Amino acid sequence: PVAMSTPIGDFEFVTMGLPPGDEFDFPFHTTVVTPQGPVALDESLWWSSDYLTWNHIAIDGDYGDIGLLDDDLMVITNAVASRFVWDGSRWVQEAILDLPDSAERIATGPRGIVAATPTSIFYSLDGVTFTEAEQGPDLERFAASQVDPDEEEYSEAAKTDCRGTFGATEARIRTVLATQAGFVAVTSATHATDEVCSPFVWFSSDGLTWEPVSDGSPFGAASVDALSIAEHDGRFVAIGGIEAEGRGFVWVSDDAIKWRLADLDLSSPHMTSPLMVDAGDLGWVLGGAGTGTDFALWFSPDGYTWDGPHALPEGLRVGWLVPEIVVGTDTIFGVGYREEVFVIGHLRPDPAQGD
């Protein structure tokens, strides 16, 4: 075990291996923590009751999104949308949802469910019947770069950052979020590599009528990892940056509408030092490269103030790809570049409380 003291607790990290022949199809595209334990979606549906032993079943299609409605799973892949129920020992597909195959993102909250394709949003109160939004986000509103990447010295590299939105003619829906007050959609200009640049934010109280929350992007000229916006207890944390400036940022919001920068300086979030963030009952965990540091972990009790960098445990320090982290009630779980290896961080017992 590797000991690590953080503001959210003292941990012991242990590197584990899957049984021969098994591997996680890195990376986990999305995860949720259920009453039965964590569930992850890649090209299979994975679940565990103890973070040690993992089971999986094949699903139609690959990747997509996953949400928790009451105690059921709402799962979207590029082939089908399904509702899974727990039968006492495993997750079982109960129903096929009436959603188009192009649905990519789903968000569940106290006001129901929204699912999004790149151009449309669908709402459901019960998770069974979905209705297309009568007034979705206006995809003719977006911010695009005024710099032609073909005129840059390294034009191919320029096309992969936000300069790649030059000449865009429309936007795409990048993700949807559920809040106590309703729902939030994030849109941005089309991009050859799907970089989410200067995204606009839209709000709906009922999932059917959407309005912009401002005239521009609350994230300024930065790119945002829209697929990795983390939420816990009504607080949201987003990560991103400005590649051309070599800077990475962390934003925090209590409504997913108004965002402010956290006090943390990071390196650019692009290929050489990508970012990740997740949250659970334990608190918030972020991975990234700080200014002048290698890739490391940061910890926060509130998403605003961060403690780090902490060196990555063995098993996550492989290659340049960002680890995937799941934060639970008393456990941190991580998958690195090696698909057959994973890392578990358990809270160390408090000596004052005995065994």
Side-chain angles (χ1 to χ4, degrees), residues 103-260:
E104 296 179 347
R105 304 296 296 168
I106 193 166
T108 60
R111 292 177 177 254
I113 307 165
V114 291
T117 75
T119 58
S120 303
I121 293 180
F122 298 80
Y123 169 76
S124 174
L125 181 61
D126 57 10
V128 176
T129 303
F130 284 81
T131 301
E132 185 172 358
E134 55 200 42
Q135 181 184 316
D138 182 357
L139 300 182
E140 293 185 359
R141 296 183 56 161
F142 58 88
S145 174
Q146 301 302 304
V147 178
D148 185 349
D150 285 327
E151 296 181 1
E152 300 290 284
E153 181 178 1
Y154 301 103
S155 60
E156 291 305 313
K159 291 176 182 178
T160 64
D161 63 29
C162 283
R163 289 169 289 187
T165 60
F166 179 82
T169 59
E170 58 187 350
R172 289 288 183 266
I173 300 169
R174 303 302 187 173
T175 196
V176 284
L177 307 168
T179 71
Q180 291 296 318
F183 305 96
V184 167
V186 177
T187 66
S188 70
T190 54
H191 190 287
T193 59
D194 279 341
E195 193 89 359
V196 178
C197 299
S198 299
F200 284 27
V201 174
W202 304 75
F203 175 75
S204 173
S205 60
D206 58 9
L208 297 173
T209 303
W210 296 78
E211 299 290 343
V213 302
S214 64
D215 292 332
S217 171
F219 305 99
S223 64
V224 177
D225 187 346
L227 300 185
S228 296
I229 297 175
E231 183 273 338
H232 183 67
D233 254 358
R235 177 160 292 175
F236 297 82
V237 171
I239 50 179
I242 301 177
E243 174 66 17
E245 299 178 4
R247 303 168 64 199
F249 305 117
V250 180
W251 297 269
V252 188
S253 175
D254 287 325
D255 56 11
I257 294 174
K258 298 181 293 291
W259 296 84
R260 78 174 192 181

Side-chain angles (χ1 to χ4, degrees), residues 295-353:
F295 195 95
L297 295 178
W298 279 259
F299 298 86
S300 173
D302 56 13
Y304 282 105
T305 57
W306 294 88
D307 178 76
H310 294 266
L312 292 179
E314 187 64 36
L316 298 184
R317 294 180 293 172
V318 179
W320 55 264
L321 287 173
V322 61
E324 295 290 316
I325 302 293
V326 183
V327 181
T329 302
D330 58 6
T331 305
I332 297 172
F333 174 86
V335 181
Y337 181 66
R338 297 165 59 192
E339 291 98 337
E340 73 279 7
V341 173
F342 59 96
V343 171
I344 298 177
H346 289 297
L347 279 175
R348 299 170 65 187
D350 185 347
Q353 297 181 4

Side-chain angles (χ1 to χ4, degrees), residues 34-121:
T34 76
Q36 292 76 32
V39 178
L41 177 67
D42 54 18
E43 294 181 343
S44 298
L45 189 70
W46 294 80
W47 72 91
S48 173
S49 60
D50 58 6
Y51 293 87
L52 291 169
T53 303
W54 288 81
N55 306 284
H56 63 98
I57 55 174
I59 54 175
D60 293 334
D62 53 29
Y63 303 105
D65 201 7
I66 186 170
L68 189 62
L69 179 66
D70 298 324
D71 291 333
D72 297 346
L73 293 175
M74 313 296 287
V75 178
I76 287 179
T77 71
N78 61 3
V80 67
S82 310
R83 184 167 183 158
F84 284 78
V85 299
W86 182 255
D87 71 355
S89 62
R90 62 191 288 117
W91 289 100
V92 178
Q93 187 182 54
E94 181 188 57
I96 303 297
L97 306 182
D98 184 22
L99 283 169
D101 293 345
S102 55
E104 296 179 347
R105 304 296 296 168
I106 193 166
T108 60
R111 292 177 177 254
I113 307 165
V114 291
T117 75
T119 58
S120 303
I121 293 180

